[in-house]
């Protein structure tokens, strides 16, 4: 029997990168996937790929930074039969020197990376408690190590990590699991938003390089995300699994 047979999984950021790879992997293992994204009608291309592989999925366009849109999108999933797992992959960011960060940029990144998962967890909580389900939040190795030019991004991911652990503690007794996956550099479109500032110090940037000679693929991150969302991880909660090629070793 496939690990996700008949299980209903909501994935944000499912139009690209880790979210798309996770949606495909879970659908291939029998999951019924609801893709949420601000782009591509919520994940039209991802739907095509999943259906081409014989899987089941729907897509809902949704800006995770907007609580009203999140309520509507989560409502679509709950109306269709409930939610067994919520996976927050939507994310954004940029490299900037700290003294050049504007309040608007801080707000923009915080709204997607932290408020987004906060809103989706809030909206899906009752459905997840009813199913004794789980949350997997995609954090970043930047949440646990200092990273030059990433003060904004790393702070939003640090907030997301603390939030994940607190959620695990508060709702663990009711059977809800909440875990984080913290990648290092992944070869996805997001990375192209991160252009180092002029005259960036290469010694500072070097800290974020992994030990294995290449970036992770989206599929390599999706493998760990899928594990945490599956019954193979039934007794794991409040954890943060680093999939960072040893960048924090
Ligand atoms: N790429 C990396 O090197 C890296 C490293 C560590 C952590 N991460 C994290 O992994 C996660 C997935 O990123 P990825 O690398 O697959 O990037 P990606 O750009 O391929 O995918 C991110 C998706 O999020 C969606 N998105 C952005 N803002 C949104 C919003 N407001 N509402 C809904 N959807 C929105 C985008 O449209 C996109 O489809 C992110 O949380 C990111 O911070 C990425």
């Amino acid at each position: 029997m496939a690990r996700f047979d008949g299980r209903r999984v909501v994935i944000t950021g499912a139009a690209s990168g880790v979210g798309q790879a996770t949606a495909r992997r879970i659908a291939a293992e029998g999951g019924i996937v609801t893709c949420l994204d601000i782009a591509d009608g919520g994940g039209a291309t991802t739907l095509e790929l999943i259906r081409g592989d014989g899987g089941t999925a729907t897509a809902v366009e949704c800006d995770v930074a907007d609580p009203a849109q999140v309520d509507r999108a989560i409502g679509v999933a709950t109306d269709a039969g409930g939610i067994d797992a919520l996976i927050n992959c939507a994310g954004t960011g940029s490299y900037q020197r700290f003294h050049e960060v504007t309040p608007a940029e801080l707000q923009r990144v915080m709204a997607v990376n932290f408020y987004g998962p906060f809103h989706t967890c809030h909206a899906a909580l009752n459905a997840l408690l009813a199913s004794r389900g789980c949350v997997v939040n995609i954090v970043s190795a930047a949440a646990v190590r200092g990273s030059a030019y990433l003060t904004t991004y790393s702070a939003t991911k640090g907030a997301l990590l603390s939030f994940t652990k607190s959620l695990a503690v508060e709702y663990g007794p009711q059977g809800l699991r909440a875990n984080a996956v913290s990648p290092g550099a992944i070869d996805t479109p997001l990375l192209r938003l991160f252009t180092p500032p002029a005259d960036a110090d290469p010694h500072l940037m070097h800290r974020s390089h992994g030990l294995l000679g290449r970036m992770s693929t989206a599929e390599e991150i999706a493998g760990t995300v899928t594990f945490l969302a599956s019954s193979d991880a039934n007794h794991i909660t409040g954890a943060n699994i680093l999939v960072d090629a040893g960048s924090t070793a």
Side-chain angles (χ1 to χ4, degrees), residues 13-19 36-39 62-65 88-92 112-113 138-141 153 157 183-191:
S16 177
V18 174
L36 267 50
D37 205 292
I38 198 170
C62 173
D63 177 354
V64 296
N88 286 300
C89 297
T92 190
V112 180
N113 292 1
I138 312 309
V139 179
S140 169
Y153 181 80
K157 293 296 189 175
I186 322 163
D187 189 9
T188 65
L190 182 69
L191 214 56

Side-chain angles (χ1 to χ4, degrees), residues 1 9-10 12 17 23 48 78 96 98 133 140 159 179 182 199 218 226 237:
M1 186 168 139
V9 182
V10 174
T12 76
E48 260 175 55
T78 49
Q96 272 185 320
F98 171 62
S140 169
N179 291 295
S182 285
D199 303 325
T226 303
T237 194

